[in-house]
Amino acid sequence: MSHITYIEEKNGRMPLHFLDAAYINGYFWVSALEWNGYYKVNLETGKAEFLGTFENADLMADKLFHQVLAYKEFVFFIPWFSNYLVKLNIQNLETIYYKLPDSMFVEMAKFRVAAIYEKKIFMFPHLSDNICIFDIEKEAFSCDKEWSKEFLKSESFNVKDRFVRGCRINEQIYLANFSGNFIMKYNLNNYQYETIIFPEDEKKIVDIVAFSDDKLIILTWTGNVRSYDIRTGSINLIYKYRGKVEFPYRHVVLYQDRILLIPAFEKNIVSVDKEKENILSYPDEWEMQYINVGIESIFNRYYKKGNRIILYPCLGNMILKIDVSKNMITGVKVVGGNNINLHSLFNLVDNENSIYRNSSNIKGTRIWNEVSKIEN
């Protein structure tokens, strides 16, 4: 039995997974996690429409982009393992590819955190020492490497796994990281920075959100949640994780007087208020269904819409919608041209290697047409 046949018999056809999305007028604009393709997905029905494959990448290239940002009538795909920043016009579906500066090519994994500020895209490194800044109007890159001098002074900071999440308050962005027990404060106007140290037993900071203009909520690798007062510098423990799972939660989400803890390796989503903890039940049809491409958590990023928290299908088979006011989760399966019959696809790739190798030139059109026939 081939590896692909085993995956297919064990997991069925692969649903579309994505790490992040730009939400515009009822649709998510996304990049596929496990293969090369970009789509728009109806949030309410889960219907996915395949829009095309990215140039300059093989058909089965995975983890090409980590974040998707909306700007006017465009969405920007922020490169993770790709060497290109991609701009998609959502009105006419035209794409423009911006090759990253050559200094970025040393590292395979590029960026996991990005933010748009004053007509610029700030991209913060996963592995390198370059903060990459893209001027949207001038269509030009610049890099800031000054921050790394301070960052690398301490041996505890000298780890290659850089920034994983960011939280912007006005011109300041606060960056969580897997390198150590600190966050970095970075000024988007003058590029000045400083590090904020947390208790040593916290190891790593995995998520960061704004409670107000002067207070941050921090989720650590240990599963604890702390508050940080920007004015006074005080750090307080507001939730203590008592389980035994290492790296239990990936995200902390704020809603009125409660917090939601979204799993990395814990089993359940937890809602915490002043009185108690509530474990939220998944929909009956929700299950893990994925190809292992080295993603470190069950969920990755989310979208807040009113009293709903929308969890992207990172490794699961559904978009999950948490009604926080009711502590209830519903789900919608992503359906349509996104579901790839892996065995059939790989047979096509094996039979037409030249198409696979040159898919960046013809955008994989022939293979995708064949897959579409199989699926429909």
Side-chain angles (χ1 to χ4, degrees):
M1 179 183 295
S2 72
H3 178 60
I4 298 304
T5 302
Y6 171 77
I7 291 175
E8 191 168 73
E9 289 187 359
K10 183 178 180 181
N11 298 313
R13 294 183 177 184
M14 287 295 104
L16 172 66
H17 295 123
F18 48 93
L19 296 174
D20 193 28
Y23 177 79
I24 304 175
N25 298 329
Y27 288 92
F28 282 144
W29 298 79
V30 308
S31 166
L33 169 61
E34 293 143 328
W35 54 78
N36 178 355
Y38 54 97
Y39 306 76
K40 71 173 184 178
V41 181
N42 187 302
L43 172 58
E44 300 305 323
T45 66
K47 176 66 176 178
E49 180 181 347
F50 169 70
L51 302 177
T53 55
F54 294 103
E55 298 178 9
N56 310 296
D58 288 335
L59 182 63
M60 293 306 292
D62 56 46
K63 299 186 291 189
L64 288 172
F65 302 91
H66 199 284
Q67 200 170 345
V68 190
L69 301 179
Y71 179 79
K72 298 182 178 179
E73 71 272 25
F74 305 104
V75 295
F76 284 89
F77 295 95
I78 307 301
W80 192 12
F81 284 80
S82 173
N83 292 326
Y84 292 82
L85 171 70
V86 180
K87 181 173 73 173
L88 170 68
N89 186 317
I90 66 170
Q91 296 177 351
N92 59 23
L93 301 183
E94 291 182 355
T95 54
I96 299 178
Y97 293 78
Y98 303 99
K99 188 177 180 180
L100 295 175
D102 290 343
S103 60
M104 299 302 306
F105 280 49
V106 178
E107 307 293 350
M108 291 185 64
K110 310 303 188 304
F111 312 107
R112 287 188 293 187
V113 184
I116 295 178
Y117 178 77
E118 297 292 336
K119 301 178 183 178
K120 294 179 180 178
I121 302 175
F122 289 78
M123 295 173 282
F124 296 91
H126 178 175
L127 295 178
S128 79
D129 295 334
N130 287 301
I131 295 174
C132 197
I133 304 160
F134 180 76
D135 188 308
I136 296 174
E137 291 192 342
K138 295 179 181 179
E139 298 185 309
F141 290 101
S142 60
C143 289
D144 175 19
K145 201 172 181 178
E146 288 298 312
W147 68 276
S148 64
K149 295 178 181 178
E150 181 70 24
F151 187 88
L152 297 176
K153 282 182 181 178
S154 171
E155 185 177 347
S156 63
F157 296 174
N158 194 9
V159 179
K160 274 295 188 180
D161 207 351
R162 302 289 193 237
F163 304 110
V164 294
R165 287 286 285 172
C167 169
R168 185 172 72 85
I169 301 177
N170 302 319
E171 75 279 7
Q172 305 284 355
I173 188 166
Y174 297 84
L175 297 159
N177 71 95
F178 278 2
S179 295
N181 58 318
F182 67 98
I183 59 177
M184 187 172 83
K185 176 183 176 182
Y186 186 86
N187 189 304
L188 299 172
N189 282 330
N190 59 26
Y191 307 168
Q192 297 299 302
Y193 54 88
E194 65 178 277
T195 53
I196 301 166
I197 307 298
F198 280 74
E200 290 185 3
D201 59 355
E202 290 296 9
K203 295 183 180 179
K204 303 175 184 179
I205 311 297
V206 299
D207 198 17
I208 182 169
V209 293
F211 180 80
S212 64
D213 281 353
D214 53 19
K215 183 175 289 187
L216 300 172
I217 303 298
I218 310 294
L219 173 66
T220 69
W221 180 273
T222 60
N224 296 333
V225 179
R226 295 179 181 268
S227 65
Y228 172 72
D229 191 304
I230 296 170
R231 295 174 303 172
T232 66
S234 64
I235 300 171
N236 295 302
L237 181 68
I238 60 176
Y239 174 80
K240 176 72 173 178
Y241 174 67
R242 304 188 184 281
K244 298 181 180 180
V245 176
E246 187 175 15
F247 189 19
Y249 300 113
R250 185 64 187 86
H251 295 296
V252 56
V253 185
L254 307 182
Y255 178 81
Q256 295 182 356
D257 60 347
R258 72 188 74 178
I259 60 174
L260 269 74
L261 296 169
I262 309 301
F265 292 109
E266 260 290 2
K267 293 181 180 179
N268 299 304
I269 298 170
V270 178
S271 174
V272 181
D273 57 30
K274 294 180 180 179
E275 297 180 354
K276 59 180 179 179
E277 297 181 21
N278 293 294
I279 294 177
L280 279 57
S281 299
Y282 294 111
D284 291 341
E285 294 184 342
W286 185 86
E287 62 182 356
M288 300 281 282
Q289 188 179 25
Y290 62 96
I291 305 169
N292 186 2
V293 293
I295 298 301
E296 71 271 12
S297 59
I298 299 172
F299 298 103
N300 188 86
R301 298 188 180 273
Y302 56 86
Y303 178 73
K304 294 177 72 171
K305 189 174 188 292
N307 65 339
R308 293 193 301 175
I309 309 298
I310 315 299
L311 299 182
Y312 304 136
C314 176
L315 299 181
N317 65 338
M318 307 175 81
I319 296 173
L320 296 181
K321 305 175 183 181
I322 306 172
D323 187 326
V324 187
S325 62
K326 299 178 181 178
N327 279 335
M328 181 181 298
I329 305 176
T330 57
V332 57
K333 289 188 176 182
V334 182
V335 296
N338 52 287
N339 288 8
I340 301 302
N341 183 310
L342 290 172
H343 188 55
S344 300
L345 175 58
F346 271 73
N347 280 341
L348 286 168
V349 169
D350 289 340
N351 292 336
E352 303 195 32
N353 282 326
S354 60
I355 292 179
Y356 179 50
R357 286 195 298 269
N358 297 315
S359 61
S360 60
N361 296 324
I362 66 170
K363 299 186 179 180
T365 302
R366 288 176 60 190
I367 290 181
W368 279 110
N369 286 343
E370 291 303 316
V371 172
S372 178
K373 293 175 185 176
I374 295 168
E375 294 302 317
N376 295 331

